[in-house]
Amino acid sequence: MAAQANTAGSKKGFMQWARSRKGQQAIIIVAFMIIPLLLLFTFTYLPFGEMVGFSFYKMKYVGKRTFVGWKNYASVFSRKDCFGALKLSLYYMGGSVVQLALALYLATVLSFKVKGGNIFKGFMFFPYLINGIAIGFIFKFFYTRGFVFDTVLQWCGFQLDNLPYWLKDQSINNISLVGTSVWRYFGQNMVLFIGAIMSVDSELYEAAMLDGANRFEQFRYIILPSIKTIVTLNVILSITGSLSAFEPPYVITSGANGTGTYFVVMNEIAHTQQKVGLASAMAVVLLLIIFAATILQKLFFKYVFRSAEDEDFGAAKKREKQLARYAARKAGR
């Protein structure tokens, strides 16, 4: 009887708490947390765990599975079409550097008062809004022999016979594809940089101009230190994105003539060759590479910006000592 009374009392206490304002707030918070976490687990972490499990099997989508252990991971590093495709990421990494430099330059220029600046921002950001497949088809005709790009170059005085095949010549086709990615994404980076630059206090520019600082010095000593967080973020997103390039080579060239990136090769192995275990191992390896690259980049920028701050702090201390010596000599006189 005592146990039943205690149970009834606890239920009654819980119901009172649930009907109270604090109880309802706690229930709503927990409900809003559980639903997204449940969806995230169901559609992200659970499939990822299954994929990691598939990477240890020799299997197709349908049929018998054979456990092979680490053999699939060894194949990723031994097959030329798997690990060799990562070399193409160097082209896209180089393109990301050009993309960020161009975006930062234009963002710095457009952050000041420029005639037609808003229209120019819209034009530069517009490619990012276009679907990647559509951009692939656009540039497929753009680079086709005798079409748009060749026609423009002929207007500039070049002869068609002296121009390379932009999508067939293996010495230049990957650079052409990287140009497509740069054209699409640098507008997004530019807008992010502009937003960060516009948040800098305008009084700093006025003080710098009174001290005689030019635009480059304002960029070096005011803008760049103030937007270092956005710079780090954009670099990390660009480098990791270059490791997973897929749409330009897949749509424009279908990975032919040495343009098959890691994702294109993984797609072919998974869906054409039906080697699901090997493709899963490739995905896990790529995830580890991206994770390692992200950590190294964060450590690098943390060291760079810390060194810059230490240098500025040391220069400020040196100036203070010089002023103190000057004041002491003046007082002694």
Side-chain angles (χ1 to χ4, degrees):
M1 292 295 292
Q4 292 178 356
N6 291 334
T7 304
S10 61
K11 288 182 179 179
K12 185 177 180 180
F14 175 77
M15 292 302 296
Q16 289 179 351
W17 175 82
R19 292 172 182 173
S20 65
R21 183 180 181 83
K22 291 184 178 180
Q24 291 179 358
Q25 289 179 347
I27 292 173
I28 291 173
I29 292 172
V30 171
F32 274 92
M33 288 177 58
I34 289 177
I35 294 174
L37 290 175
L38 183 62
L39 293 174
L40 184 66
F41 174 78
T42 304
F43 296 103
T44 302
Y45 294 111
L46 184 61
F48 174 74
E50 291 290 329
M51 184 189 68
V52 174
F54 292 160
S55 65
F56 294 100
Y57 288 87
K58 180 180 179 181
M59 56 176 289
K60 296 182 178 181
Y61 285 107
V62 179
K64 182 181 178 182
R65 300 181 184 180
T66 304
F67 182 80
V68 294
W70 297 97
K71 186 176 180 180
N72 287 328
Y73 290 93
S75 299
V76 172
F77 293 95
S78 61
R79 290 181 49 152
K80 293 182 179 180
D81 60 341
C82 292
F83 192 73
L86 281 175
K87 296 179 181 178
L88 298 182
S89 300
L90 298 176
Y91 285 96
Y92 291 88
M93 288 183 183
S96 67
V97 174
V98 175
Q99 168 187 314
L100 290 171
L102 183 62
L104 185 57
Y105 171 75
L106 292 176
T108 304
V109 172
L110 294 174
S111 62
F112 299 101
K113 292 182 179 180
V114 180
K115 290 184 178 180
N118 291 330
I119 298 176
F120 190 78
K121 293 174 189 176
F123 282 137
M124 294 299 101
F125 184 71
F126 179 71
Y128 180 71
L129 302 177
I130 305 176
N131 182 268
I133 305 298
I135 289 178
F137 282 112
I138 291 171
F139 276 89
K140 187 173 185 178
F141 289 101
F142 181 80
Y143 286 126
T144 301
R145 186 70 167 180
F147 276 58
V148 180
F149 194 37
D150 288 345
T151 301
V152 172
L153 291 177
Q154 289 180 78
W155 291 346
C156 298
F158 292 91
Q159 297 295 324
L160 182 61
D161 295 336
N162 296 329
L163 295 175
Y165 286 85
W166 304 104
L167 299 178
K168 291 183 180 180
D169 190 349
Q170 294 191 12
S171 64
I172 197 138
N173 54 5
N174 285 299
I175 298 177
S176 302
L177 296 177
V178 170
T180 304
S181 297
V182 173
W183 179 81
R184 182 186 181 190
Y185 289 107
F186 93 92
Q188 178 204 18
N189 297 131
M190 183 189 71
V191 170
L192 292 174
F193 284 138
I194 289 175
I197 293 173
M198 295 298 289
S199 65
V200 179
D201 190 358
S202 60
E203 294 181 356
L204 295 175
Y205 298 121
E206 296 176 0
M209 291 177 66
L210 292 175
D211 291 337
N214 55 31
R215 293 296 189 188
F216 177 74
E217 290 173 339
Q218 291 179 27
F219 170 78
R220 180 180 178 184
Y221 296 107
I222 298 177
I223 295 177
L224 192 58
S226 301
I227 64 171
K228 60 184 180 180
T229 303
I230 299 299
V231 172
T232 304
L233 175 63
N234 277 338
V235 170
I236 291 174
L237 292 177
S238 298
I239 298 299
T240 54
S242 65
L243 292 171
S244 56
F246 176 72
E247 290 176 346
Y250 181 75
V251 178
I252 299 175
T253 63
S254 299
N257 300 317
T259 60
T261 57
Y262 195 80
F263 256 71
V264 174
V265 174
M266 182 167 39
N267 176 74
E268 180 183 356
I269 289 175
H271 300 124
T272 304
Q273 301 179 15
Q274 292 284 309
K275 296 181 179 179
V276 179
L278 179 58
S280 300
M282 292 179 66
V284 174
V285 169
L286 181 63
L287 177 64
L288 294 176
I289 293 174
I290 292 176
F291 184 70
T294 302
I295 293 177
L296 291 175
Q297 289 175 81
K298 292 189 70 174
L299 293 175
F300 172 76
F301 279 104
K302 184 178 180 180
Y303 172 77
V304 168
F305 286 123
R306 186 181 64 182
S307 299
E309 291 174 355
D310 292 342
E311 183 179 351
D312 294 339
F313 180 75
K317 284 290 186 181
K318 186 176 181 180
R319 286 194 298 269
E320 289 179 0
K321 290 181 180 180
Q322 290 175 349
L323 290 173
R325 291 174 184 173
Y326 176 76
R329 290 176 183 176
K330 190 175 180 180
R333 292 177 183 175

